[in-house]
Amino acid sequence: MATDWLGSIVSINCGVTLGVYQGEVSSVDHTSQTISLRQPCHNGVKCPVSEVTLSAMDIKELKFLDIQDTANKCTSRQGSATEPSLISAGRHGQDNRSTHSHATNDSSHSSAAPITILRRVPAGLSNSRGAMHATPRRNIARNGGFGGPVRSKDDECFGEGTDEDLDTDFDFEGNLALFDKAAVFSQIDGTSGHTNKAQHHSTQTEQKPQSYRHDENILEGKPVIYRQITVPQHGGKEFCTDSGLVVPSVPYEFHKRLLGAAERWGLSLERRLETIGVCSGQMALSLLGGPNRLNPKNIHQRPTVVILCGPHIQGAQGISCGRHLANHEVEVILFLPNFVKMEESVTSEVSLYNRTNGVQVSSVKDLPVSPIDLVINCLDSHENPLLREQSWYQSTADWANRNRAPVLSIDPPANGQPQTVEAKWTLSVGLPLPLAESQSRPYLCDIGIPKLVYQEVGISYHSPFGCKFVIPLHPA
């Protein structure tokens, strides 16, 4: 009688663990208590094997979806001819492994012997996901419940093309590597228009909008005017900033006139000294290494700076710089001769400097012999160039040239003569002076002169400093 069911389409519910199998009955083995399905589907997904054998112990419910030769098998059937017949299979005790199947609404099989099936796993299917030991990965309720009718759209969605191993993770990187982006865009360009590729590329380049950095303004403005400073008396040299703005130099006499006008409006000498001291001190701290050198965890490597000052305003500017450096935990050694007449500004700055932990010496013999971190030169004077001929000045300049430390000159004079102390950096104030040709790198310091003060002396002025108080200059 088992051969009568061959070719029937059945749906076998094997419980939550194994799921629902659907397929065509290919064989029923009474001896081994197994039933085999051809072209099986597991939970609505086509199995990767052509045949699956199930044991009677795992069958919870069996439904016939289509039976061949219905007229010979069913003498009387309630409902329509396409209504499926139901065969229920269950266990009768733990020790009894036989399963009795009763055909409902089927008089021809009401007295037939029950199908007794034992568990058997074919050797060829022992490692297959289509075997009865496979663990379902989908919720059965979402696939139409237990033993639901097979619909045509299920075959279209889950029929062909799903034989790959579902346990394998999708390789996104490998799949992306298969996509040839250049070839696809080349094909699009070739099919969308029959123009020359070179012309198409040039058109795209012309139409491509200009890209901006995060700190650039995307709004279009007026063309930039790089010559924003004009002076009535030119010093003969021009410089430019990093952004391209032109900064002309002025003669010393005109520069002195500018400082006099600023002093009349309240920018006194004391204010200028303080501003120059702060700006030059900030530049010196950057040259010493900035936060990489000056931090609480690096106190055993405090930098040493020697400041060489003369008894004049330029020397007072250097003393102000030394005070600010000493306040920032820099070891400062101040050289200032005590046997020459000093200006009042120098005396007041020395009194403030002595309130720090800085060291003051008046003899070249007391200067360090070993190399130091930085030398700040403020020996030269704009008003008295004869200081260069004095012995103390020459011996101090010789010490600075012998020491291997780099030199920063603050507000050096423009007298047409080469620098006595070879400096690596020079810092001018307000507007640069036409310094003699040297290998030093010029910098400019903003000392806070208002714009209307520049206009008073005939200078058309727009600040070139931007967000900084000290900027580098380059030969124009």
Side-chain angles (χ1 to χ4, degrees):
M1 297 295 293
T3 57
D4 296 338
W5 306 103
L6 298 180
S8 301
I9 306 299
V10 297
S11 175
I12 301 177
N13 178 14
C14 297
V16 179
T17 304
L18 297 181
V20 178
Y21 286 87
Q22 296 172 345
E24 179 183 351
V25 178
S26 59
S27 66
V28 179
D29 193 339
H30 291 279
T31 304
S32 61
Q33 298 284 298
T34 59
I35 182 171
S36 299
L37 302 182
R38 184 186 298 114
Q39 300 297 328
C41 292
H42 179 228
N43 293 335
V45 180
K46 186 177 180 181
C47 295
V49 294
S50 60
E51 189 177 53
V52 172
T53 301
L54 301 175
S55 174
M57 293 184 61
D58 299 321
I59 298 177
K60 302 294 183 182
E61 187 179 23
L62 188 147
K63 291 183 180 180
F64 284 94
L65 304 179
D66 186 16
I67 303 177
Q68 293 181 353
D69 197 5
T70 307
N72 296 330
K73 295 181 181 180
C74 301
T75 58
S76 62
R77 181 186 298 268
Q78 296 179 357
S80 61
T82 59
E83 182 179 356
S85 299
L86 177 62
I87 295 179
S88 300
R91 296 176 183 173
H92 299 277
Q94 182 176 4
D95 298 332
N96 185 10
R97 297 190 177 184
S98 64
T99 302
H100 300 279
S101 301
H102 303 282
T104 61
N105 299 328
D106 194 342
S107 61
S108 62
H109 298 285
S110 60
S111 61
I115 301 176
T116 304
I117 303 178
L118 296 177
R119 179 185 297 271
R120 182 177 67 85
V121 181
L125 301 177
S126 59
N127 296 326
S128 173
R129 293 188 72 253
M132 55 189 173
H133 296 287
T135 302
R137 296 176 59 88
R138 287 179 173 82
N139 190 352
I140 300 176
R142 295 192 307 176
N143 291 278
F146 296 136
V150 179
R151 294 169 294 180
S152 59
K153 64 178 182 179
D154 293 337
D155 294 334
E156 295 177 1
C157 295
F158 306 108
E160 300 297 331
T162 58
D163 293 340
E164 63 271 10
D165 191 359
L166 298 180
D167 289 334
T168 305
D169 294 335
F170 184 75
D171 187 4
F172 288 95
E173 295 183 359
N175 186 68
L176 184 60
L178 298 176
F179 177 65
D180 192 351
K181 185 177 178 181
V184 172
F185 278 101
S186 177
Q187 183 179 2
I188 293 175
D189 294 340
T191 56
S192 60
H194 300 281
T195 58
N196 192 333
K197 290 186 177 181
Q199 296 178 356
H200 182 72
H201 178 71
S202 62
T203 304
Q204 283 188 336
T205 305
E206 294 176 358
Q207 295 178 355
K208 183 179 179 181
Q210 182 181 2
S211 59
Y212 296 91
R213 298 196 311 268
H214 67 281
D215 57 346
E216 288 184 331
N217 188 6
I218 64 174
L219 300 178
E220 295 184 359
K222 298 180 180 179
V224 180
I225 301 176
Y226 291 99
R227 188 176 295 275
Q228 299 181 357
I229 302 176
T230 58
V231 294
Q233 298 182 19
H234 204 284
K237 284 188 176 182
E238 285 187 344
F239 303 91
C240 63
T241 64
D242 290 339
S243 58
L245 298 178
V246 178
V247 180
S249 63
V250 294
Y252 170 71
E253 294 298 331
F254 188 81
H255 191 272
K256 183 178 179 181
R257 178 185 169 187
L258 173 63
L259 297 180
E263 190 169 352
R264 288 195 304 271
W265 285 102
L267 189 63
S268 61
L269 176 61
E270 290 76 11
R271 288 189 175 185
R272 295 205 314 268
L273 292 176
E274 190 68 17
T275 303
I276 296 173
V278 171
C279 293
S280 59
Q282 183 63 56
M283 180 178 178
L285 291 174
S286 299
L287 296 176
L288 292 172
N292 297 325
R293 185 78 180 275
L294 298 167
N295 59 73
K297 298 181 181 180
N298 199 24
I299 57 177
H300 64 286
Q301 293 182 349
R302 293 173 57 185
T304 302
V305 177
V306 173
I307 303 179
L308 307 177
C309 299
H312 39 67
I313 295 178
Q314 281 67 41
Q317 295 174 165
I319 300 172
S320 177
C321 175
R323 171 166 54 87
H324 289 288
L325 291 178
N327 291 337
H328 286 264
E329 302 299 328
V330 177
E331 295 183 0
V332 180
I333 301 175
L334 172 64
F335 171 82
L336 181 66
N338 57 1
F339 44 83
V340 293
K341 183 179 179 180
M342 298 184 184
E343 296 188 9
E344 182 180 357
S345 59
V346 177
T347 305
S348 61
E349 289 295 333
V350 168
S351 63
L352 283 175
Y353 172 80
N354 290 332
R355 296 298 177 270
T356 65
N357 293 327
V359 179
Q360 180 180 354
V361 298
S362 58
S363 176
V364 179
K365 298 180 181 179
D366 297 330
L367 293 175
V369 179
S370 60
I372 56 176
D373 294 279
L374 181 65
V375 175
I376 297 180
N377 177 30
C378 298
L379 294 174
D380 295 298
S381 171
H382 292 281
E383 303 291 340
N384 188 8
L386 298 178
L387 287 177
R388 292 189 173 190
E389 300 178 0
Q390 298 183 12
S391 59
W392 67 268
Y393 179 96
Q394 295 178 358
S395 59
T396 306
D398 292 340
W399 175 90
N401 292 328
R402 288 196 307 268
N403 196 287
R404 296 183 178 181
V407 178
L408 167 64
S409 293
I410 299 178
D411 193 18
N415 50 17
Q417 298 181 2
Q419 298 180 6
T420 306
V421 178
E422 298 179 1
K424 188 175 183 179
W425 308 279
T426 58
L427 180 62
S428 301
V429 296
L431 287 176
L433 300 176
L435 301 177
E437 295 292 338
S438 63
Q439 299 297 326
S440 61
R441 305 173 187 175
Y443 284 75
L444 187 63
C445 167
D446 183 13
I447 58 176
I449 301 177
K451 183 177 181 179
L452 294 179
V453 176
Y454 283 100
Q455 293 182 2
E456 183 178 334
V457 296
I459 299 177
S460 176
Y461 182 83
H462 291 272
S463 175
F465 293 95
C467 62
K468 301 179 181 179
F469 285 86
V470 178
I471 59 174
L473 298 179
H474 310 280

